[in-house]
Amino acid sequence: MAFFPVLLLLLSVLQRGSSQDPDEDSLAVPRGCGWGLVRPYTLLCDLDSVWGVAVESAAASGALAAILLGLIILCRLHHVSEAEKRSGVGPILLLLLGILGLFGLSFAYLIERDEQLCLLRRALWGLLFALCFSCLLVQGVRLRRLGRERRSPGGCALTGLALGLSAVQGIIAAEWLLLTVLREGRAACQYLPLDFSLACSYVLALLLAALGAASFALCGKTRQWRCNAIWLLSACLLSLLLWVAWVGFYLYGNAWLGRSPDWDDPALAIALVAQGWLLLLFHAVPEAHSCLCSPPQPSAPDYFDTSQAPSRMRETSFDEDIPLSHRQFPENQSYGFDENTADLRSAGNHNGNTAPRPSAPFRSNVYQPTEMTMILNGGAVPSAPPTYTGRQLW
């Protein structure tokens, strides 16, 4: 769908080149048109009309960036294993096709208008914008579902929904052309700016719906997709501001400045290129990065970081790392108290203490020094007394 503007433009160029009169080739070409381009294609190379060259460069670079991003997504699609991320790939690719169509349609405003070109402009203007804004709307619905239910509709369902919503604008544009061109017999290039703006009312409704969906997506319970919702909301807000700007300038600004018929095409061409770059930078690139990036690996806990919440490993004791002979069991607490009292009362070297010690009521076959005994012994594990008949485990 997005390649239709480029194809029709090429056909129009070929038809114009074959129908030119020999007298037109002898006309003086503007400065910068050294390739033999003559009217009506002089805006593509005329250095005196800087806006044409600037729009052409921006549109060509934007189309190349959209194609490269689409190829990257297709090449790395097999690395995306999560269903939540794979569901957003279809709307992104459809949006890139719409962006490519916007950049291609901008070249139609760099050529002098005729009947076929005016039909192309009127038919594809609202359709391409509706396709892009429908993708934004379904992305908002997807993020809303992910934020509330932590699951998303399928990518094919979202893509089909976006195509269905954009097809409504195609029907509206076809009805407008049938009523004005075929039934009333008007020329395709003779239309009022107000009629052109009213024909895009459905497109503006899609944009407002996408803005509302992005706002609701920020209220989700899951904070993982909140960054995606912020990017989507930014793209919708900037698109709304851009539409208010170009519609206001197209309806009232040109008439107020006295440039009404001359600046109509530059205003629409700049709006197309600006909208394409805005969607590419503020939605397509962040969403593609979010879908293609690998999930974060769980990091090992830092035991020396006191700002972290105490984990289960830090809350438990280190008795599992201590040998069985060095552990202190709960039922040996009375024995440990008696042993500590005897050690505190005794004098001299504790390692040379040969006094008999009371045996533990439980597990008497294993010598179990208490923590106080180890502290009083200088940190070393004391040896069992000579009279101890239990099993030596060290």
Side-chain angles (χ1 to χ4, degrees), residues 1-11 101 104 120 124 127-128:
M1 182 182 297
F3 292 99
F4 289 164
V6 181
L7 180 60
L8 292 177
L9 283 177
L10 291 178
L11 294 177
L120 178 70
L124 294 180
L127 180 61
L128 292 174

Side-chain angles (χ1 to χ4, degrees), residues 242-304:
L242 177 62
W243 266 68
V244 171
W246 81 258
V247 169
F249 185 81
Y250 184 65
L251 293 178
Y252 307 107
N254 286 338
W256 183 70
L257 294 175
R259 303 278 186 172
S260 180
D262 298 333
W263 283 10
D264 290 346
D265 291 349
L268 297 179
I270 293 173
L272 284 168
V273 175
Q275 183 68 74
W277 273 108
L278 191 151
L279 294 175
L280 185 65
L281 294 178
F282 286 89
H283 181 69
V285 173
E287 193 67 28
H289 177 267
S290 175
C291 292
L292 297 179
C293 66
S294 57
Q297 300 294 334
S299 58
D302 187 5
Y303 297 104
F304 298 97

Side-chain angles (χ1 to χ4, degrees), residues 15 44 49 53 59 71 73 99 168 180 188 192 202 234 266 286 288 292 296 315 329 353 360 364 375 380 382 394:
Q15 183 177 2
L44 297 173
S49 301
V53 180
L71 292 177
I73 294 175
I99 292 173
V168 178
T180 56
L192 296 176
Y202 177 74
S234 302
L292 297 179
E315 290 176 355
F329 296 92
N353 186 12
S364 59
I375 294 174
W394 55 85

Side-chain angles (χ1 to χ4, degrees), residues 46-362:
D46 189 3
L47 296 181
D48 296 330
S49 301
V50 185
W51 73 269
V53 180
V55 169
E56 177 188 3
S57 303
S61 58
L64 181 60
I67 293 174
L68 291 178
L69 183 59
L71 292 177
I72 291 174
I73 294 175
L74 291 177
C75 292
R76 298 198 57 185
L77 185 59
H78 63 280
H79 294 289
V80 183
S81 58
E82 301 180 12
E84 295 82 3
K85 293 183 177 181
R86 292 184 68 92
S87 62
V89 175
I92 294 176
L93 294 177
L94 190 61
L95 176 64
L96 290 176
L97 288 177
I99 292 173
L100 188 61
L102 293 178
F103 289 133
L105 186 60
S106 64
F107 286 94
Y109 290 88
L110 301 179
I111 303 174
E112 292 183 6
R113 62 176 64 183
D114 61 356
E115 290 297 317
Q116 296 179 356
L117 201 60
C118 289
L119 287 175
L120 178 70
R121 293 178 182 180
R122 294 171 63 176
L124 294 180
W125 174 276
L127 180 61
L128 292 174
F129 274 107
L131 181 63
C132 295
F133 294 155
S134 298
C135 294
L136 296 183
L137 177 57
V138 298
Q139 286 284 9
V141 174
R142 167 179 167 265
L143 294 176
R144 176 63 174 168
R145 290 285 298 274
L146 286 173
R148 294 189 61 183
E149 304 176 7
R150 297 184 180 180
R151 60 187 181 89
S152 170
C156 296
L158 293 175
T159 305
L161 178 61
L163 289 175
L165 292 175
S166 59
V168 178
Q169 177 60 33
I171 297 174
I172 294 175
E175 289 288 339
W176 182 40
L177 290 175
L178 290 175
L179 291 176
T180 56
V181 178
L182 295 181
R183 178 174 295 183
E184 298 181 3
R186 297 181 187 177
C189 298
Q190 294 179 358
Y191 57 89
L192 296 176
L194 183 60
D195 295 339
F196 184 80
S197 302
L198 290 177
C200 300
S201 302
Y202 177 74
V203 179
L204 187 59
L206 286 177
L207 179 57
L208 294 176
L211 180 62
S215 302
F216 285 119
L218 287 175
C219 305
K221 301 177 182 178
T222 307
R223 307 185 66 179
Q224 177 185 359
W225 307 100
R226 191 161 296 178
C227 182
N228 301 62
I230 291 175
W231 280 110
L232 179 61
L233 182 62
S234 302
C236 294
L237 284 176
L238 292 176
S239 299
L240 183 61
L241 293 177
L242 177 62
W243 266 68
V244 171
W246 81 258
V247 169
F249 185 81
Y250 184 65
L251 293 178
Y252 307 107
N254 286 338
W256 183 70
L257 294 175
R259 303 278 186 172
S260 180
D262 298 333
W263 283 10
D264 290 346
D265 291 349
L268 297 179
I270 293 173
L272 284 168
V273 175
Q275 183 68 74
W277 273 108
L278 191 151
L279 294 175
L280 185 65
L281 294 178
F282 286 89
H283 181 69
V285 173
E287 193 67 28
H289 177 267
S290 175
C291 292
L292 297 179
C293 66
S294 57
Q297 300 294 334
S299 58
D302 187 5
Y303 297 104
F304 298 97
D305 188 5
T306 58
S307 61
Q308 297 181 357
S311 60
R312 184 178 182 273
M313 187 175 294
R314 295 182 60 182
E315 290 176 355
T316 56
S317 62
F318 295 94
D319 289 343
E320 297 178 357
D321 299 331
I322 302 176
L324 183 61
S325 60
H326 298 166
R327 294 184 186 179
Q328 179 184 1
F329 296 92
E331 60 267 21
N332 200 21
Q333 292 178 356
S334 59
Y335 165 70
F337 178 78
D338 296 338
E339 185 184 29
N340 296 337
T341 306
D343 291 338
L344 289 174
R345 291 179 179 179
S346 62
N349 188 8
H350 293 279
N351 291 333
N353 186 12
T354 58
R357 301 182 182 183
S359 60
F362 301 101

